[in-house]
Amino acid sequence: MAGSEREIAFIKGDGVGPEIVDNSKRIVDAAVEKIGAGRIKWIEALAGSEAEKKFGNRLPDESIEIIKRCGVAIKGPIETPVGKGFTSINVRLRLMFDLYANIRPVKWFPGIASPITNPEKIDLVVFRENTDDLYRGIEWKYDSAEAGTVRDFLNANLGTDIENDSGIGIKVMSKAKTERVTRMALNYAIKHKRRSITVMHKGNIMKYTEGAFREWAYNIAKTEFRSSIITEEEVAAGGSNKGKILFNDRIADNMFQQIITRPGEYDMILAPNLNGDYVSDAAGALIGNIGVLGGANIGDTYAIFEAVHGTVPKYAGQNIANPMGILSACCLMLEHIGMEKAALMIKDAVSATLKDRIATKDIARFMGSVPVGTDEFSDAVIDRLSKV
Ligand code: NAP
C-alpha cells in the first residue's frame, strides 16, 4: 500500500454533515499518513440541499458518476421530509447502488453513560437487509386513484375488505434478496469470528414476508454453511456449538426486550429492512448515544459508509455535533479498503480522548466534563493518534 493513492468519494450532506465529514476526513488522513499506507484522494460528490442549490437536483448525475468511479464513498446525513416532499436520497442511493446489506456494529465506549447497568457486555452487529421490504416505497395516498384501483382489485378478487379511506403500502420480500444478505452475514460472521446470528422477524403475523425471510435464512445457513453453524434446536438436542456459529431466531418484539434484558447474549442480528432499522437504533440507545455509531451499506460492487444519526439540524454550523458516528463509519471504510491498521489507530485514539474526559456536548454532559467543540474534539483525537 505504501505510496499508493486511493480515490474515495465523499458527500458532506445536510445539517451537521459538513462539519463532521470535514473533521473525520482530516483524522483519517492523519492516521493513514502515520501508518504509511499511502494516501486517500477525496473526491467530493454533492447531494442533498447543496446539490439542489447548485444543480436543482438533490442527487445529480455528476455525483452518481463520482461514486461509480470511486466505488467507495463516505456520506454525511441527508435530510428527508416526513409524510411529504421528495423521497429519501439515502434510500435512493442504497437502491441505485444495490447496497443490499446495512452493517452496524454497536459497541460501548467506556465513559459514555448508558441506560443499562452492564453496557460493557454489548458487542452487537446489526445486519439489515437494505433494498427490500416496505422501503421499496410502493405506496399510494389514501385518496389517490391508484390506492382506489388497488383496493378495488383486492376487494373484488382476493377476498379482502379494505376500507375506502385506507392508504396502501406494499410489503415485498424476495427470496433471492434474503438469501444474498444471509450469505453476506454468514461470511461476515466467519471472517470476524462472531459467536451467533439471530434472525429477527415478525413471521408469526406476516407469514409470507417475514416468516419467509426466516425460513430462507435458515435454508441458506443449513445448506451452504452447514459445517460452520449449529441451530438452537440442534444444541437443545445435545449438539455441541464449539467452534460453530449459533444460528437462531427471535420474534421482533421479543428481540427488543431481549437486547435490553440480556444484552450480552446477542452477537449478530440479521433482520429485514424495517426491523433492522428499528433495532439498530434501539441497540444504539443501549450504549447511550446513537451519535457515536457508524454503518456500512455494502453490495457486491459498491459501498457507502455513513453515521447512523441524521442531520441534527439544531446543531448545524455551531461546532457542537459529535463527529464520532461518521468517524466510526470512516473506520469501517478503512477496514473495507484494507487499511485496518489506520482504523484501529483511530478507534484507540477516540477511546484515549474519551478517557481523558474530552468530549462533545452530547457526551460531556453525562461525563460531567466541560464540552469541547467538534473541531477541538477532532484535534484531540489527532493528537492521540501518535500516542496509542
Ligand atoms: P437526528 O438528526 O439523528 O437527531 C436526533 C437527536 O440525536 C438530536 O437532536 C441529538 O439529541 C442527537 N444526536 C444525533 N447525532 C448527534 C451528533 N452527531 N451530535 C450530537 N447529538 C446528536 O434525527 P432526526 O432529528 O430524527 O432527523 C433529522 C433529519 O435527518 C431528518 O430529515 C431525517 O430524515 C434525517 N436522517 C438522515 C439519515 C441519513 O442520512 N442516513 C439518518 C437519520 C435521519 P439531543 O437533542 O438530545 O442533543
Side-chain angles (χ1 to χ4, degrees):
M1 246 319 162
S4 66
E5 189 172 76
R6 173 73 208 243
E7 283 192 340
I8 303 285
F10 72 98
I11 295 171
K12 290 190 180 183
D14 299 323
V16 299
E19 50 204 300
I20 58 172
V21 169
D22 282 343
N23 273 301
S24 296
K25 275 168 54 223
R26 67 188 181 94
I27 296 169
V28 168
D29 285 342
V32 170
E33 194 189 331
K34 275 202 189 308
I35 60 161
R39 179 177 167 266
I40 288 179
K41 183 173 176 193
W42 300 98
I43 316 280
E44 181 161 16
L46 292 183
S49 50
E50 272 305 301
E52 171 78 30
K53 270 188 233 152
K54 190 162 174 200
F55 297 102
N57 180 352
R58 285 177 182 262
L59 187 55
D61 291 344
E62 288 80 350
S63 300
I64 295 166
E65 284 312 311
I66 290 172
I67 299 171
K68 277 191 185 154
R69 193 179 91 207
C70 297
V72 173
I74 285 288
K75 186 187 76 61
I78 298 179
E79 68 168 325
T80 312
V82 178
K84 59 180 166 46
F86 54 88
T87 51
S88 165
I89 303 296
N90 306 306
V91 175
R92 275 173 61 195
L93 283 168
R94 289 170 198 164
L95 295 179
M96 178 181 293
F97 288 102
D98 202 19
L99 307 173
Y100 61 84
N102 179 268
I103 307 166
R104 292 180 177 178
V106 180
K107 203 168 175 189
W108 180 68
F109 285 88
I112 297 185
S114 156
I116 61 168
T117 41
N118 300 107
E120 69 283 354
K121 287 190 174 166
I122 297 163
D123 182 5
L124 259 178
V125 179
V126 179
F127 230 91
R128 164 186 172 195
E129 201 293 325
N130 223 9
T131 59
D132 215 6
D133 201 351
L134 290 161
Y135 281 71
R136 292 281 290 272
I138 309 171
E139 57 173 9
W140 298 280
K141 199 162 167 245
Y142 78 101
D143 58 356
S144 65
E146 291 86 351
T149 304
V150 176
R151 283 192 304 257
D152 290 349
F153 175 81
L154 294 175
N155 288 344
N157 297 290
L158 294 171
T160 59
D161 183 19
I162 303 171
E163 291 79 3
N164 277 338
D165 61 354
S166 304
I168 303 278
I170 308 265
K171 183 176 177 79
V172 281
M173 288 217 188
S174 135
K175 183 168 186 266
K177 285 184 167 183
T178 304
E179 289 177 345
R180 68 179 181 172
V181 76
T182 304
R183 269 184 211 108
M184 198 192 270
L186 279 153
N187 283 321
Y188 179 99
I190 292 166
K191 181 174 174 203
H192 295 268
K193 301 190 170 35
R194 304 298 306 197
R195 287 181 289 122
S196 69
I197 297 181
T198 303
V199 180
M200 173 186 181
H201 61 88
K202 191 74 185 167
N204 52 334
I205 306 296
M206 292 169 268
K207 297 179 195 301
Y208 307 118
T209 49
E210 304 230 348
F213 184 94
R214 172 188 177 278
E215 189 187 320
W216 294 327
Y218 268 103
N219 280 345
I220 290 295
K222 285 184 186 172
T223 54
E224 296 182 19
F225 294 84
R226 186 61 272 187
S227 60
S228 304
I229 66 116
I230 185 160
T231 66
E232 212 160 58
E233 289 73 32
E234 289 163 350
V235 172
S240 165
N241 60 356
K242 198 160 177 269
K244 304 243 168 147
I245 297 161
L246 178 67
F247 201 88
N248 59 12
D249 71 283
R250 297 287 179 269
I251 291 177
D253 32 346
N254 184 28
M255 186 82 255
F256 279 107
Q257 70 94 7
Q258 291 274 308
I259 60 164
I260 294 165
T261 54
R262 303 170 175 216
E265 276 183 34
Y266 293 91
D267 190 50
M268 270 179 73
I269 296 175
L270 171 62
N273 213 337
L274 186 60
N275 291 339
D277 193 10
Y278 294 152
V279 79
S280 46
D281 273 31
L286 294 180
I287 59 147
N289 188 325
I290 67 154
V292 305
L293 293 180
N297 297 290
I298 306 219
D300 291 332
T301 313
Y302 301 102
I304 298 183
F305 299 83
E306 62 184 337
V308 168
H309 65 78
T311 61
V312 204
K314 69 181 189 181
Y315 295 152
Q318 297 172 55
N319 192 32
I320 289 177
N322 190 343
M324 282 173 65
I326 192 81
L327 193 55
S328 299
C330 286
C331 290
L332 294 171
M333 179 275 287
L334 289 167
E335 286 163 9
H336 182 77
I337 63 171
M339 293 193 186
E340 289 90 352
K341 268 188 179 170
L344 195 60
M345 183 182 260
I346 293 171
K347 286 186 217 170
D348 287 348
V350 168
S351 296
T353 308
L354 293 176
K355 203 168 163 219
D356 290 341
R357 297 167 54 80
I358 300 170
T360 45
K361 181 180 148 184
D362 54 322
I363 292 177
R365 64 186 164 193
F366 298 110
M367 275 181 172
S369 61
V370 179
V372 298
T374 317
D375 297 342
E376 292 70 30
F377 179 79
S378 306
D379 291 342
V381 174
I382 291 173
D383 278 351
R384 282 155 185 77
L385 286 173
S386 50
K387 295 175 194 147
V388 290

